[in-house]
Short mmCIF file of all heavy atoms in Angstrom, two decimals:
data_model
loop_
_atom_site.label_atom_id
_atom_site.label_comp_id
_atom_site.label_asym_id
_atom_site.label_seq_id
_atom_site.Cartn_x
_atom_site.Cartn_y
_atom_site.Cartn_z
N MET A 25 105.86 -53.52 -69.93
CA MET A 25 105.30 -52.19 -70.06
C MET A 25 104.47 -52.17 -71.30
O MET A 25 104.81 -52.63 -72.34
CB MET A 25 106.48 -51.14 -70.17
CG MET A 25 105.92 -49.74 -70.18
SD MET A 25 107.30 -48.43 -70.14
CE MET A 25 107.85 -48.66 -68.46
N ALA A 26 103.23 -51.58 -71.16
CA ALA A 26 102.36 -51.53 -72.32
C ALA A 26 102.96 -50.64 -73.44
O ALA A 26 103.76 -49.68 -73.09
CB ALA A 26 101.04 -50.88 -71.81
N GLN A 27 102.72 -50.93 -74.60
CA GLN A 27 103.30 -50.21 -75.74
C GLN A 27 102.13 -49.71 -76.65
O GLN A 27 101.02 -50.30 -76.71
CB GLN A 27 104.24 -51.13 -76.52
CG GLN A 27 105.32 -51.61 -75.67
CD GLN A 27 106.31 -52.54 -76.49
OE1 GLN A 27 106.48 -52.32 -77.63
NE2 GLN A 27 106.83 -53.54 -75.79
N TYR A 28 102.44 -48.72 -77.42
CA TYR A 28 101.51 -48.22 -78.46
C TYR A 28 102.33 -47.57 -79.54
O TYR A 28 103.52 -47.22 -79.41
CB TYR A 28 100.51 -47.22 -77.83
CG TYR A 28 101.13 -45.96 -77.33
CD1 TYR A 28 101.28 -44.84 -78.17
CD2 TYR A 28 101.65 -45.84 -76.03
CE1 TYR A 28 101.81 -43.62 -77.70
CE2 TYR A 28 102.22 -44.70 -75.57
CZ TYR A 28 102.30 -43.61 -76.42
OH TYR A 28 102.85 -42.49 -75.92
N LYS A 29 101.70 -47.35 -80.74
CA LYS A 29 102.34 -46.71 -81.77
C LYS A 29 101.72 -45.32 -82.09
O LYS A 29 102.44 -44.38 -82.34
CB LYS A 29 102.21 -47.59 -83.17
CG LYS A 29 102.93 -46.97 -84.30
CD LYS A 29 102.96 -47.96 -85.45
CE LYS A 29 103.76 -47.44 -86.58
NZ LYS A 29 103.84 -48.37 -87.81
N TYR A 30 100.38 -45.25 -82.06
CA TYR A 30 99.76 -43.99 -82.43
C TYR A 30 99.21 -43.28 -81.20
O TYR A 30 98.11 -43.49 -80.77
CB TYR A 30 98.62 -44.29 -83.43
CG TYR A 30 99.11 -45.00 -84.67
CD1 TYR A 30 98.83 -46.33 -84.90
CD2 TYR A 30 99.86 -44.27 -85.64
CE1 TYR A 30 99.30 -46.97 -86.02
CE2 TYR A 30 100.38 -44.92 -86.77
CZ TYR A 30 100.08 -46.21 -86.99
OH TYR A 30 100.52 -46.80 -88.14
N GLY A 31 100.04 -42.38 -80.67
CA GLY A 31 99.67 -41.68 -79.43
C GLY A 31 98.49 -40.77 -79.58
O GLY A 31 97.83 -40.44 -78.60
N ASP A 32 98.11 -40.40 -80.80
CA ASP A 32 96.94 -39.51 -81.03
C ASP A 32 95.67 -40.23 -80.56
O ASP A 32 94.61 -39.57 -80.39
CB ASP A 32 96.84 -39.10 -82.43
CG ASP A 32 97.92 -38.11 -82.86
OD1 ASP A 32 98.64 -37.64 -81.97
OD2 ASP A 32 98.14 -37.89 -84.07
N TYR A 33 95.68 -41.50 -80.46
CA TYR A 33 94.51 -42.26 -80.09
C TYR A 33 94.47 -42.60 -78.61
O TYR A 33 93.56 -43.38 -78.19
CB TYR A 33 94.39 -43.56 -80.93
CG TYR A 33 94.30 -43.29 -82.37
CD1 TYR A 33 95.30 -43.84 -83.25
CD2 TYR A 33 93.36 -42.49 -82.89
CE1 TYR A 33 95.27 -43.49 -84.59
CE2 TYR A 33 93.29 -42.22 -84.29
CZ TYR A 33 94.28 -42.71 -85.10
OH TYR A 33 94.23 -42.40 -86.48
N LEU A 34 95.33 -42.06 -77.82
CA LEU A 34 95.34 -42.23 -76.40
C LEU A 34 95.18 -40.89 -75.72
O LEU A 34 95.64 -39.91 -76.16
CB LEU A 34 96.65 -42.85 -75.87
CG LEU A 34 96.89 -44.32 -76.28
CD1 LEU A 34 98.31 -44.75 -75.88
CD2 LEU A 34 95.85 -45.24 -75.73
N HIS A 35 94.39 -40.88 -74.65
CA HIS A 35 94.03 -39.59 -73.94
C HIS A 35 94.52 -39.74 -72.52
O HIS A 35 94.18 -40.67 -71.80
CB HIS A 35 92.53 -39.37 -74.06
CG HIS A 35 92.12 -38.24 -73.18
ND1 HIS A 35 92.29 -36.89 -73.65
CD2 HIS A 35 91.42 -38.17 -72.05
CE1 HIS A 35 91.78 -36.07 -72.71
NE2 HIS A 35 91.24 -36.84 -71.70
N HIS A 36 95.36 -38.79 -72.06
CA HIS A 36 95.82 -38.76 -70.62
C HIS A 36 94.66 -38.38 -69.73
O HIS A 36 93.85 -37.44 -70.05
CB HIS A 36 96.97 -37.85 -70.45
CG HIS A 36 97.44 -37.76 -69.08
ND1 HIS A 36 97.08 -36.81 -68.09
CD2 HIS A 36 98.29 -38.63 -68.37
CE1 HIS A 36 97.64 -37.08 -66.98
NE2 HIS A 36 98.32 -38.18 -67.10
N SER A 37 94.49 -39.03 -68.60
CA SER A 37 93.41 -38.79 -67.67
C SER A 37 93.96 -39.02 -66.24
O SER A 37 94.69 -39.91 -66.01
CB SER A 37 92.19 -39.74 -67.91
OG SER A 37 91.25 -39.58 -66.88
N ASP A 38 93.39 -38.19 -65.33
CA ASP A 38 93.76 -38.24 -63.95
C ASP A 38 92.61 -38.92 -63.16
O ASP A 38 92.52 -38.77 -61.95
CB ASP A 38 94.16 -36.93 -63.29
CG ASP A 38 95.51 -36.39 -63.76
OD1 ASP A 38 96.40 -37.27 -64.03
OD2 ASP A 38 95.61 -35.23 -63.94
N HIS A 39 91.73 -39.61 -63.81
CA HIS A 39 90.54 -40.21 -63.16
C HIS A 39 90.94 -41.10 -62.07
O HIS A 39 91.97 -41.88 -62.14
CB HIS A 39 89.75 -40.99 -64.15
CG HIS A 39 88.38 -41.30 -63.74
ND1 HIS A 39 88.09 -42.36 -62.87
CD2 HIS A 39 87.19 -40.70 -64.03
CE1 HIS A 39 86.79 -42.38 -62.64
NE2 HIS A 39 86.20 -41.38 -63.30
N SER A 40 90.20 -41.13 -60.96
CA SER A 40 90.53 -41.97 -59.82
C SER A 40 90.46 -43.45 -60.05
O SER A 40 91.03 -44.28 -59.34
CB SER A 40 89.62 -41.61 -58.66
OG SER A 40 88.29 -41.86 -58.97
N ALA A 41 89.86 -43.86 -61.15
CA ALA A 41 89.76 -45.28 -61.51
C ALA A 41 91.13 -45.86 -61.70
O ALA A 41 91.34 -47.05 -61.48
CB ALA A 41 88.94 -45.53 -62.81
N TYR A 42 92.16 -45.01 -62.03
CA TYR A 42 93.49 -45.53 -62.25
C TYR A 42 94.25 -45.73 -60.94
O TYR A 42 95.30 -46.31 -60.88
CB TYR A 42 94.30 -44.53 -63.12
CG TYR A 42 93.76 -44.44 -64.52
CD1 TYR A 42 92.93 -43.39 -64.85
CD2 TYR A 42 94.07 -45.35 -65.47
CE1 TYR A 42 92.38 -43.29 -66.21
CE2 TYR A 42 93.58 -45.32 -66.80
CZ TYR A 42 92.74 -44.27 -67.15
OH TYR A 42 92.25 -44.17 -68.37
N ASP A 43 93.72 -45.20 -59.85
CA ASP A 43 94.37 -45.30 -58.51
C ASP A 43 93.97 -46.54 -57.71
O ASP A 43 94.69 -46.90 -56.77
CB ASP A 43 94.06 -44.06 -57.67
CG ASP A 43 94.53 -42.73 -58.45
OD1 ASP A 43 95.56 -42.82 -59.11
OD2 ASP A 43 93.86 -41.75 -58.28
N THR A 44 92.84 -47.11 -58.02
CA THR A 44 92.32 -48.23 -57.26
C THR A 44 93.17 -49.51 -57.45
O THR A 44 93.53 -49.80 -58.57
CB THR A 44 90.88 -48.53 -57.69
OG1 THR A 44 90.09 -47.38 -57.52
CG2 THR A 44 90.26 -49.64 -56.80
N ARG A 45 93.47 -50.16 -56.36
CA ARG A 45 94.18 -51.45 -56.42
C ARG A 45 93.20 -52.59 -56.23
O ARG A 45 92.47 -52.58 -55.19
CB ARG A 45 95.32 -51.50 -55.42
CG ARG A 45 96.41 -50.45 -55.66
CD ARG A 45 97.53 -50.56 -54.66
NE ARG A 45 98.63 -49.68 -55.04
CZ ARG A 45 99.88 -49.83 -54.67
NH1 ARG A 45 100.17 -50.80 -53.85
NH2 ARG A 45 100.80 -48.98 -55.05
N HIS A 46 93.16 -53.45 -57.18
CA HIS A 46 92.21 -54.56 -57.19
C HIS A 46 92.88 -55.90 -56.82
O HIS A 46 93.91 -56.21 -57.29
CB HIS A 46 91.56 -54.72 -58.64
CG HIS A 46 90.97 -53.50 -59.17
ND1 HIS A 46 89.65 -53.14 -58.91
CD2 HIS A 46 91.46 -52.46 -59.90
CE1 HIS A 46 89.38 -51.94 -59.46
NE2 HIS A 46 90.43 -51.57 -60.13
N ALA A 47 92.18 -56.58 -55.92
CA ALA A 47 92.68 -57.96 -55.54
C ALA A 47 92.41 -58.95 -56.60
O ALA A 47 91.51 -58.75 -57.49
CB ALA A 47 91.91 -58.37 -54.23
N PRO A 48 93.19 -60.05 -56.59
CA PRO A 48 92.99 -61.16 -57.57
C PRO A 48 91.56 -61.63 -57.50
O PRO A 48 91.00 -61.77 -56.42
CB PRO A 48 93.96 -62.19 -57.16
CG PRO A 48 95.04 -61.47 -56.40
CD PRO A 48 94.30 -60.35 -55.72
N GLY A 49 90.97 -61.93 -58.66
CA GLY A 49 89.63 -62.49 -58.74
C GLY A 49 88.50 -61.47 -58.51
O GLY A 49 87.33 -61.85 -58.51
N SER A 50 88.77 -60.22 -58.30
CA SER A 50 87.76 -59.26 -58.11
C SER A 50 87.25 -58.69 -59.43
O SER A 50 87.92 -58.78 -60.44
CB SER A 50 88.23 -58.04 -57.21
OG SER A 50 89.29 -57.40 -57.83
N PRO A 51 86.03 -58.17 -59.45
CA PRO A 51 85.48 -57.63 -60.72
C PRO A 51 86.34 -56.40 -61.27
O PRO A 51 86.71 -55.58 -60.54
CB PRO A 51 84.13 -57.13 -60.35
CG PRO A 51 83.80 -57.77 -59.07
CD PRO A 51 85.17 -57.95 -58.36
N ALA A 52 86.51 -56.49 -62.57
CA ALA A 52 87.23 -55.31 -63.23
C ALA A 52 86.18 -54.28 -63.59
O ALA A 52 85.28 -54.59 -64.40
CB ALA A 52 87.99 -55.81 -64.40
N GLY A 53 86.20 -53.13 -63.07
CA GLY A 53 85.19 -52.13 -63.28
C GLY A 53 85.22 -51.61 -64.70
O GLY A 53 84.19 -51.16 -65.24
N ASN A 54 86.39 -51.60 -65.30
CA ASN A 54 86.53 -51.07 -66.61
C ASN A 54 87.22 -52.11 -67.50
O ASN A 54 88.17 -52.87 -67.07
CB ASN A 54 87.35 -49.82 -66.56
CG ASN A 54 86.71 -48.69 -65.86
OD1 ASN A 54 85.76 -48.16 -66.35
ND2 ASN A 54 87.27 -48.39 -64.70
N ALA A 55 86.85 -52.10 -68.78
CA ALA A 55 87.60 -52.94 -69.76
C ALA A 55 88.91 -52.25 -70.00
O ALA A 55 89.01 -51.04 -70.17
CB ALA A 55 86.80 -53.11 -71.00
N GLY A 56 89.96 -53.01 -70.19
CA GLY A 56 91.25 -52.43 -70.50
C GLY A 56 92.44 -53.30 -70.07
O GLY A 56 92.33 -54.51 -69.85
N ILE A 57 93.58 -52.61 -69.95
CA ILE A 57 94.79 -53.34 -69.55
C ILE A 57 95.00 -53.05 -68.06
O ILE A 57 94.99 -51.90 -67.62
CB ILE A 57 96.01 -52.89 -70.43
CG1 ILE A 57 95.76 -53.16 -71.84
CG2 ILE A 57 97.32 -53.51 -69.87
CD1 ILE A 57 96.83 -52.56 -72.73
N TYR A 58 95.27 -54.07 -67.30
CA TYR A 58 95.60 -53.98 -65.88
C TYR A 58 97.01 -54.37 -65.63
O TYR A 58 97.52 -55.30 -66.27
CB TYR A 58 94.65 -54.86 -65.02
CG TYR A 58 93.25 -54.29 -64.96
CD1 TYR A 58 92.35 -54.35 -66.01
CD2 TYR A 58 92.81 -53.59 -63.75
CE1 TYR A 58 91.07 -53.77 -65.95
CE2 TYR A 58 91.59 -52.98 -63.71
CZ TYR A 58 90.71 -53.08 -64.79
OH TYR A 58 89.45 -52.54 -64.73
N ARG A 59 97.62 -53.79 -64.65
CA ARG A 59 99.09 -54.07 -64.36
C ARG A 59 99.25 -54.39 -62.91
O ARG A 59 98.66 -53.66 -61.99
CB ARG A 59 99.90 -52.75 -64.68
CG ARG A 59 101.34 -52.84 -64.38
CD ARG A 59 102.03 -51.54 -64.72
NE ARG A 59 103.48 -51.61 -64.43
CZ ARG A 59 104.02 -51.42 -63.24
NH1 ARG A 59 103.25 -51.21 -62.17
NH2 ARG A 59 105.29 -51.58 -63.06
N CYS A 60 100.02 -55.49 -62.63
CA CYS A 60 100.33 -55.82 -61.26
C CYS A 60 101.26 -54.77 -60.68
O CYS A 60 102.33 -54.54 -61.26
CB CYS A 60 100.91 -57.21 -61.19
SG CYS A 60 101.41 -57.68 -59.52
N VAL A 61 100.93 -54.15 -59.57
CA VAL A 61 101.76 -53.08 -59.03
C VAL A 61 103.05 -53.58 -58.47
O VAL A 61 103.98 -52.77 -58.34
CB VAL A 61 100.92 -52.31 -57.88
CG1 VAL A 61 99.69 -51.70 -58.47
CG2 VAL A 61 100.59 -53.21 -56.73
N SER A 62 103.17 -54.90 -58.10
CA SER A 62 104.34 -55.42 -57.55
C SER A 62 105.42 -55.91 -58.61
O SER A 62 106.54 -55.70 -58.46
CB SER A 62 104.07 -56.58 -56.56
OG SER A 62 103.28 -56.10 -55.52
N CYS A 63 104.92 -56.63 -59.61
CA CYS A 63 105.84 -57.18 -60.56
C CYS A 63 105.71 -56.66 -62.02
O CYS A 63 106.56 -56.87 -62.81
CB CYS A 63 105.69 -58.70 -60.64
SG CYS A 63 104.22 -59.28 -61.46
N GLY A 64 104.65 -55.81 -62.32
CA GLY A 64 104.55 -55.22 -63.60
C GLY A 64 103.86 -56.10 -64.64
O GLY A 64 103.72 -55.64 -65.76
N ASP A 65 103.46 -57.31 -64.29
CA ASP A 65 102.72 -58.19 -65.23
C ASP A 65 101.46 -57.49 -65.73
O ASP A 65 100.73 -56.90 -64.85
CB ASP A 65 102.43 -59.52 -64.59
CG ASP A 65 101.89 -60.55 -65.56
OD1 ASP A 65 102.45 -60.66 -66.63
OD2 ASP A 65 100.94 -61.29 -65.13
N GLU A 66 101.17 -57.52 -66.99
CA GLU A 66 100.01 -56.89 -67.54
C GLU A 66 99.06 -57.90 -68.15
O GLU A 66 99.44 -58.90 -68.67
CB GLU A 66 100.42 -55.90 -68.61
CG GLU A 66 101.30 -54.82 -68.09
CD GLU A 66 101.92 -53.94 -69.13
OE1 GLU A 66 101.86 -54.36 -70.40
OE2 GLU A 66 102.55 -52.91 -68.82
N ILE A 67 97.74 -57.59 -68.15
CA ILE A 67 96.74 -58.45 -68.73
C ILE A 67 95.58 -57.57 -69.23
O ILE A 67 95.17 -56.58 -68.61
CB ILE A 67 96.29 -59.51 -67.76
CG1 ILE A 67 95.47 -60.53 -68.49
CG2 ILE A 67 95.56 -58.90 -66.56
CD1 ILE A 67 95.22 -61.84 -67.69
N GLY A 68 94.97 -57.98 -70.38
CA GLY A 68 93.81 -57.33 -70.87
C GLY A 68 92.59 -57.97 -70.35
O GLY A 68 92.47 -59.23 -70.37
N ILE A 69 91.61 -57.19 -69.84
CA ILE A 69 90.38 -57.64 -69.26
C ILE A 69 89.22 -57.08 -70.03
O ILE A 69 89.10 -55.90 -70.23
CB ILE A 69 90.24 -57.31 -67.78
CG1 ILE A 69 91.49 -57.77 -67.01
CG2 ILE A 69 88.93 -57.84 -67.16
CD1 ILE A 69 91.57 -59.29 -66.86
N ALA A 70 88.26 -57.99 -70.42
CA ALA A 70 87.05 -57.52 -71.17
C ALA A 70 86.02 -57.00 -70.21
O ALA A 70 86.08 -57.26 -69.04
CB ALA A 70 86.50 -58.72 -71.97
N LYS A 71 85.17 -56.21 -70.71
CA LYS A 71 84.13 -55.56 -69.90
C LYS A 71 83.28 -56.65 -69.23
O LYS A 71 82.88 -57.67 -69.86
CB LYS A 71 83.24 -54.72 -70.76
CG LYS A 71 82.14 -53.89 -69.99
CD LYS A 71 81.44 -52.95 -70.97
CE LYS A 71 80.51 -52.05 -70.17
NZ LYS A 71 79.77 -51.15 -71.18
N GLY A 72 82.98 -56.52 -67.91
CA GLY A 72 82.21 -57.46 -67.11
C GLY A 72 82.95 -58.64 -66.63
O GLY A 72 82.35 -59.52 -65.98
N HIS A 73 84.19 -58.77 -66.94
CA HIS A 73 84.99 -59.94 -66.51
C HIS A 73 85.70 -59.60 -65.15
O HIS A 73 85.76 -58.46 -64.75
CB HIS A 73 86.02 -60.31 -67.53
CG HIS A 73 85.38 -60.99 -68.74
ND1 HIS A 73 86.02 -61.95 -69.50
CD2 HIS A 73 84.21 -60.80 -69.36
CE1 HIS A 73 85.24 -62.31 -70.47
NE2 HIS A 73 84.08 -61.66 -70.44
N THR A 74 86.23 -60.66 -64.61
CA THR A 74 86.96 -60.51 -63.30
C THR A 74 88.49 -60.65 -63.50
O THR A 74 88.94 -61.25 -64.52
CB THR A 74 86.57 -61.51 -62.26
OG1 THR A 74 86.86 -62.86 -62.85
CG2 THR A 74 85.14 -61.43 -61.91
N LEU A 75 89.20 -60.04 -62.66
CA LEU A 75 90.70 -60.13 -62.76
C LEU A 75 91.11 -61.59 -62.44
O LEU A 75 90.37 -62.31 -61.77
CB LEU A 75 91.31 -59.18 -61.73
CG LEU A 75 91.10 -57.66 -62.11
CD1 LEU A 75 91.30 -56.84 -60.87
CD2 LEU A 75 92.03 -57.30 -63.24
N PRO A 76 92.25 -61.96 -62.95
CA PRO A 76 92.69 -63.41 -62.71
C PRO A 76 92.82 -63.78 -61.29
O PRO A 76 93.02 -62.88 -60.41
CB PRO A 76 94.07 -63.46 -63.44
CG PRO A 76 94.11 -62.26 -64.29
CD PRO A 76 93.20 -61.29 -63.66
N PRO A 77 92.58 -65.02 -60.94
CA PRO A 77 92.70 -65.49 -59.58
C PRO A 77 94.13 -65.45 -59.10
O PRO A 77 95.08 -65.26 -59.84
CB PRO A 77 92.21 -66.96 -59.66
CG PRO A 77 92.37 -67.35 -61.04
CD PRO A 77 92.20 -66.15 -61.86
N GLN A 78 94.26 -65.66 -57.81
CA GLN A 78 95.58 -65.59 -57.13
C GLN A 78 96.64 -66.48 -57.83
O GLN A 78 97.81 -66.12 -57.91
CB GLN A 78 95.44 -66.04 -55.70
CG GLN A 78 96.71 -65.92 -54.85
CD GLN A 78 96.97 -64.49 -54.38
OE1 GLN A 78 96.10 -63.72 -54.14
NE2 GLN A 78 98.28 -64.14 -54.22
N ASN A 79 96.23 -67.55 -58.43
CA ASN A 79 97.21 -68.53 -58.97
C ASN A 79 97.57 -68.22 -60.43
O ASN A 79 98.25 -68.99 -61.07
CB ASN A 79 96.72 -69.99 -58.87
CG ASN A 79 95.46 -70.21 -59.55
OD1 ASN A 79 94.90 -69.34 -60.27
ND2 ASN A 79 94.84 -71.39 -59.44
N HIS A 80 97.04 -67.12 -60.99
CA HIS A 80 97.33 -66.75 -62.35
C HIS A 80 98.82 -66.53 -62.52
O HIS A 80 99.41 -67.00 -63.50
CB HIS A 80 96.56 -65.58 -62.80
CG HIS A 80 96.79 -65.12 -64.20
ND1 HIS A 80 97.59 -64.03 -64.50
CD2 HIS A 80 96.41 -65.60 -65.37
CE1 HIS A 80 97.70 -63.89 -65.76
NE2 HIS A 80 97.02 -64.77 -66.32
N HIS A 81 99.43 -65.79 -61.70
CA HIS A 81 100.86 -65.68 -61.73
C HIS A 81 101.40 -65.58 -60.31
O HIS A 81 100.68 -65.16 -59.40
CB HIS A 81 101.35 -64.43 -62.61
CG HIS A 81 101.04 -63.05 -61.95
ND1 HIS A 81 99.96 -62.42 -61.99
CD2 HIS A 81 101.98 -62.25 -61.30
CE1 HIS A 81 100.04 -61.23 -61.32
NE2 HIS A 81 101.28 -61.09 -60.91
N GLN A 82 102.60 -66.05 -60.12
CA GLN A 82 103.16 -66.18 -58.78
C GLN A 82 104.24 -65.18 -58.57
O GLN A 82 104.95 -64.76 -59.52
CB GLN A 82 103.69 -67.58 -58.59
CG GLN A 82 102.63 -68.68 -58.80
CD GLN A 82 101.58 -68.67 -57.79
OE1 GLN A 82 101.82 -68.47 -56.58
NE2 GLN A 82 100.31 -68.85 -58.24
N HIS A 83 104.39 -64.73 -57.33
CA HIS A 83 105.51 -63.81 -56.99
C HIS A 83 106.54 -64.58 -56.13
O HIS A 83 106.20 -65.38 -55.27
CB HIS A 83 104.97 -62.68 -56.08
CG HIS A 83 104.25 -61.69 -56.89
ND1 HIS A 83 103.59 -60.64 -56.31
CD2 HIS A 83 104.04 -61.50 -58.26
CE1 HIS A 83 103.04 -59.90 -57.22
NE2 HIS A 83 103.31 -60.42 -58.39
N ALA A 84 107.80 -64.31 -56.38
CA ALA A 84 108.90 -64.79 -55.58
C ALA A 84 108.75 -64.18 -54.17
O ALA A 84 108.23 -63.06 -54.11
CB ALA A 84 110.20 -64.58 -56.19
N PRO A 85 109.24 -64.80 -53.18
CA PRO A 85 109.18 -64.21 -51.81
C PRO A 85 109.82 -62.83 -51.85
O PRO A 85 110.85 -62.58 -52.43
CB PRO A 85 110.07 -65.22 -50.93
CG PRO A 85 109.95 -66.50 -51.67
CD PRO A 85 109.86 -66.15 -53.14
N GLY A 86 109.13 -61.86 -51.20
CA GLY A 86 109.73 -60.52 -51.09
C GLY A 86 109.26 -59.54 -52.17
O GLY A 86 109.50 -58.38 -52.16
N VAL A 87 108.59 -60.11 -53.25
CA VAL A 87 108.12 -59.22 -54.35
C VAL A 87 106.93 -58.40 -53.96
O VAL A 87 106.74 -57.31 -54.48
CB VAL A 87 107.84 -60.12 -55.62
CG1 VAL A 87 107.18 -59.18 -56.73
CG2 VAL A 87 109.08 -60.68 -56.12
N GLY A 88 106.13 -58.93 -53.04
CA GLY A 88 104.89 -58.10 -52.64
C GLY A 88 103.67 -58.87 -53.13
O GLY A 88 103.73 -59.86 -53.80
N LYS A 89 102.50 -58.35 -52.60
CA LYS A 89 101.29 -59.11 -52.94
C LYS A 89 100.75 -58.73 -54.35
O LYS A 89 101.15 -57.63 -54.88
CB LYS A 89 100.25 -58.87 -51.92
CG LYS A 89 99.74 -57.44 -51.72
CD LYS A 89 98.69 -57.38 -50.62
CE LYS A 89 98.16 -55.98 -50.47
NZ LYS A 89 97.06 -55.94 -49.48
N ILE A 90 99.96 -59.59 -54.91
CA ILE A 90 99.40 -59.42 -56.22
C ILE A 90 98.23 -58.38 -56.12
O ILE A 90 97.20 -58.68 -55.49
CB ILE A 90 98.92 -60.68 -56.81
CG1 ILE A 90 100.08 -61.62 -56.99
CG2 ILE A 90 98.21 -60.47 -58.18
CD1 ILE A 90 99.71 -63.06 -57.44
N GLU A 91 98.40 -57.21 -56.73
CA GLU A 91 97.37 -56.22 -56.79
C GLU A 91 97.39 -55.61 -58.20
O GLU A 91 98.50 -55.33 -58.71
CB GLU A 91 97.50 -55.07 -55.76
CG GLU A 91 97.31 -55.50 -54.36
CD GLU A 91 97.43 -54.32 -53.44
OE1 GLU A 91 98.54 -53.72 -53.43
OE2 GLU A 91 96.50 -54.10 -52.66
N SER A 92 96.23 -55.44 -58.79
CA SER A 92 96.21 -54.93 -60.20
C SER A 92 95.62 -53.49 -60.17
O SER A 92 94.68 -53.18 -59.50
CB SER A 92 95.36 -55.79 -61.06
OG SER A 92 95.89 -57.11 -61.14
N GLN A 93 96.23 -52.70 -61.04
CA GLN A 93 95.82 -51.33 -61.22
C GLN A 93 95.52 -51.13 -62.71
O GLN A 93 96.20 -51.58 -63.56
CB GLN A 93 96.98 -50.40 -60.82
CG GLN A 93 96.60 -49.19 -60.11
CD GLN A 93 97.78 -48.44 -59.48
OE1 GLN A 93 98.96 -48.85 -59.55
NE2 GLN A 93 97.54 -47.27 -58.97
N LEU A 94 94.46 -50.36 -62.91
CA LEU A 94 94.05 -50.06 -64.33
C LEU A 94 95.18 -49.21 -65.02
O LEU A 94 95.57 -48.19 -64.47
CB LEU A 94 92.73 -49.28 -64.36
CG LEU A 94 92.15 -48.90 -65.71
CD1 LEU A 94 91.80 -50.11 -66.53
CD2 LEU A 94 90.97 -48.03 -65.55
N LEU A 95 95.63 -49.62 -66.16
CA LEU A 95 96.65 -48.95 -66.93
C LEU A 95 96.10 -48.19 -68.12
O LEU A 95 96.43 -47.00 -68.33
CB LEU A 95 97.78 -49.94 -67.31
CG LEU A 95 98.97 -49.49 -68.07
CD1 LEU A 95 99.75 -48.51 -67.17
CD2 LEU A 95 99.83 -50.58 -68.51
N VAL A 96 95.24 -48.90 -68.88
CA VAL A 96 94.68 -48.27 -70.08
C VAL A 96 93.21 -48.72 -70.07
O VAL A 96 92.89 -49.86 -69.91
CB VAL A 96 95.34 -48.75 -71.37
CG1 VAL A 96 94.61 -48.17 -72.59
CG2 VAL A 96 96.77 -48.33 -71.36
N PHE A 97 92.32 -47.75 -70.19
CA PHE A 97 90.91 -48.01 -70.23
C PHE A 97 90.41 -47.98 -71.70
O PHE A 97 90.69 -47.03 -72.40
CB PHE A 97 90.18 -46.94 -69.39
CG PHE A 97 88.70 -46.77 -69.63
CD1 PHE A 97 87.83 -47.81 -69.38
CD2 PHE A 97 88.18 -45.57 -69.96
CE1 PHE A 97 86.52 -47.75 -69.58
CE2 PHE A 97 86.80 -45.41 -70.19
CZ PHE A 97 85.96 -46.48 -69.98
N ALA A 98 89.68 -49.09 -72.08
CA ALA A 98 89.15 -49.08 -73.40
C ALA A 98 87.76 -48.42 -73.40
O ALA A 98 86.83 -48.85 -72.72
CB ALA A 98 88.98 -50.57 -73.81
N GLN A 99 87.71 -47.32 -74.16
CA GLN A 99 86.44 -46.50 -74.26
C GLN A 99 85.57 -46.93 -75.33
O GLN A 99 85.96 -46.97 -76.55
CB GLN A 99 86.81 -45.05 -74.37
CG GLN A 99 85.65 -44.12 -74.22
CD GLN A 99 86.07 -42.65 -74.01
OE1 GLN A 99 87.00 -42.28 -74.67
NE2 GLN A 99 85.30 -41.94 -73.32
N GLN A 100 84.30 -47.40 -75.00
CA GLN A 100 83.38 -47.77 -76.05
C GLN A 100 82.39 -46.68 -76.37
O GLN A 100 82.12 -45.84 -75.52
CB GLN A 100 82.61 -49.05 -75.51
CG GLN A 100 83.40 -50.31 -75.37
CD GLN A 100 82.54 -51.47 -74.88
OE1 GLN A 100 81.97 -51.43 -73.88
NE2 GLN A 100 82.49 -52.44 -75.79
N LYS A 101 81.99 -46.72 -77.58
CA LYS A 101 80.94 -45.67 -78.04
C LYS A 101 79.58 -46.22 -77.89
O LYS A 101 79.35 -47.38 -77.89
CB LYS A 101 81.27 -45.24 -79.48
CG LYS A 101 82.59 -44.48 -79.56
CD LYS A 101 82.73 -43.98 -80.99
CE LYS A 101 84.03 -43.20 -81.15
NZ LYS A 101 84.21 -42.66 -82.46
ZN1 ZN B 9 102.50 -59.61 -60.01
#
């Protein structure tokens, strides 16, 4: 689970970007932290980069498929 210390620097948002499920190896539309919806594995992705390929982490049988959801969006000025 992602952690933070200073909550004043985080802003809650209901933006639809947080609802999209991304397949392995697909472009990350936003820089930030992405979380696998099936196992909870998290990874930071830089702007313009792609999400890790299918072989980045493996699921045991029955865990579900690897899909990443935006957890925290890094806002640039
Ligand atoms: Zn996973």
